[in-house]
Amino acid sequence: MKEFQETLYDSISQCFRIDRMYFEHKTEHQHLMIFHNAFLGRVMTLDGIVQTTERDEFIYHEMMAHVPILAHGRVRDVLIIGGGDGAMLREVCKHRDIERIVMVEIDAEVIEMARQYLPNHSAGAFDDPRLELVISDGMDFVRGAEAERFDVIISDSTDPIGPGEVLFSDDFYGQCRRILKPGGAMATQNGVPFFQIDEVRQTRERMGRHFADQCFYSAAVPTYYGGIMTFGWGSDNPELRRVDRETLAARLAASDIETRYYTPDIHLASFALPKYLLDALEEPAADAAQ
Ligand code: SAM
């Protein structure tokens, strides 16, 4: 029986049994695999790194979409960078008051194969009339955006390896800050700090240069193994993180969205970070410059 062995870390790795291979191909940008595992359902990997599984994707996508959108409360324009599997788009589309969703994905083949082999991820969201789908490097898009402005920006990127690396750069955060409306919020995929602690320090320094309120929130996603994963948070309005439980509960109720992980209590608690992470954030990043 074939197995997928993840290649994210040097000295440790997780592996999944491949019960059925749906697709394996080197796209223009990355090595894409979609296979079935008896427990996880359909799994997508890029460049040997787990991107998403049907079994646990709801945790990650609910937390990256609903935390900034419900904290803001009056979101009309959303930018998604990456997110080629379509599940982030699916969660954003559930908010009926959103008027425009721009999704910028570098690899058209990821979208094409996800639509075909991971249909439950996008669940029709790619056909939402509010979507403007752009196939481009997210860095080029944000750098070139002139009049575009967004209430929420979600960077649903791969890890800072290969095409995803630029989405963790000082320039990227600066450009995203520029095109974020006043009172807007940015959320980013920021890795598993127990194994990728310098990624958090780097984001703290690079994103922190551009946002008055920069911090992290977290959730444990089983197949991003190693404990909690962090989400970068950036806003010019610290009040967004002080929205109270009752307000979040009222906004969630008004949205009619049924969640499986997100609750107002989880939302508020997710910004509480463990001591080892708080201590690490006090130290300089190894190479904060870029
Ligand atoms: N949930 C996953 C995680 O936490 O690692 C990310 C999922 S999603 C598949 C990541 C997407 O980022 C991929 O579709 C990939 O093609 C896209 N991507 C990587 N670099 C990019 C870039 N520079 N611009 C736009 N999209 C990019």
Side-chain angles (χ1 to χ4, degrees):
M1 179 61 72
K2 273 193 76 179
E3 284 188 339
F4 160 76
Q5 182 146 10
E6 189 169 48
T7 57
L8 183 53
Y9 308 110
D10 290 339
S11 57
I12 48 169
S13 68
Q14 62 178 341
C15 73
F16 304 154
R17 192 179 69 206
I18 297 176
D19 293 304
R20 181 179 172 193
M21 179 64 77
Y22 287 108
F23 184 80
E24 180 168 13
H25 179 61
K26 179 80 175 71
T27 73
E28 182 190 348
H29 298 280
Q30 42 209 346
H31 180 258
L32 169 61
M33 251 187 3
I34 300 177
F35 61 86
H36 189 273
N37 169 273
F39 182 79
L40 295 170
R42 295 186 181 199
V43 179
M44 176 163 82
T45 71
L46 286 172
D47 291 339
I49 300 170
V50 174
Q51 296 302 302
T52 189
T53 85
E54 283 185 318
R55 186 102 185 199
D56 68 357
E57 57 88 2
F58 68 96
I59 302 169
Y60 171 85
H61 294 109
E62 287 185 17
M63 286 303 282
M64 275 199 80
H66 305 321
V67 169
I69 292 172
L70 293 174
H72 183 288
R74 292 176 315 285
V75 174
R76 297 293 177 269
D77 298 283
V78 175
L79 172 61
I80 300 171
I81 303 288
D85 53 77
M88 196 63 73
L89 176 62
R90 178 197 72 209
E91 291 303 311
V92 171
C93 285
K94 288 177 180 176
H95 293 271
R96 290 187 305 269
D97 294 342
I98 288 174
E99 293 168 357
R100 180 170 179 255
I101 306 163
V102 177
M103 177 171 159
V104 183
E105 163 59 54
I106 196 169
D107 197 330
E109 206 162 349
V110 171
I111 293 175
E112 186 192 338
M113 291 303 117
R115 293 189 74 159
Q116 184 173 350
Y117 294 112
L118 284 173
N120 300 326
H121 269 60
S122 51
F126 283 115
D127 300 323
D128 190 302
R130 295 170 290 175
L131 172 63
E132 293 171 34
L133 182 58
V134 177
I135 301 301
S136 164
D137 185 323
M139 184 73 247
D140 296 340
F141 177 86
V142 297
R143 194 181 279 135
E146 291 171 3
E148 316 250 19
R149 291 298 179 267
F150 300 94
D151 298 298
V152 164
I153 298 176
I154 298 170
S155 180
D156 179 15
S157 73
T158 45
D159 285 276
I161 301 163
E165 188 170 4
V166 71
L167 305 182
F168 294 78
S169 67
D170 183 286
D171 188 17
F172 178 70
Y173 296 126
Q175 294 295 337
C176 287
R177 174 67 187 80
R178 177 180 66 83
I179 64 175
L180 199 61
K181 291 181 200 172
M186 179 175 186
T188 71
Q189 186 279 105
N190 210 97
V192 172
F194 195 72
F195 295 127
Q196 301 168 297
I197 196 68
D198 213 49
E199 220 176 281
V200 184
R201 290 194 194 100
Q202 281 175 7
T203 299
R204 176 85 188 93
E205 292 183 9
R206 296 173 186 172
M207 200 176 185
R209 287 188 200 114
H210 301 285
F211 289 91
D213 184 36
Q214 195 288 322
C215 62
F216 298 88
Y217 63 108
S218 76
V221 183
T223 55
Y224 302 154
Y225 76 96
I228 58 169
M229 83 171 295
T230 48
F231 306 105
W233 172 271
S235 178
D236 62 359
N237 179 5
E239 290 309 308
L240 285 194
R241 283 199 294 128
R242 297 193 188 100
V243 175
D244 62 32
R245 186 194 179 287
E246 288 63 35
T247 304
L248 293 172
R251 289 174 181 170
L252 179 63
S255 74
D256 283 336
I257 295 172
E258 284 297 318
T259 60
R260 295 174 55 203
Y261 184 85
Y262 177 94
T263 70
D265 288 324
I266 284 270
H267 177 136
L268 295 170
S270 69
F271 283 92
L273 300 178
K275 184 73 168 48
Y276 78 90
L277 185 43
L278 295 173
D279 290 345
L281 286 169
E282 294 301 315
E283 300 155 8
D287 60 344
Q290 296 129 17

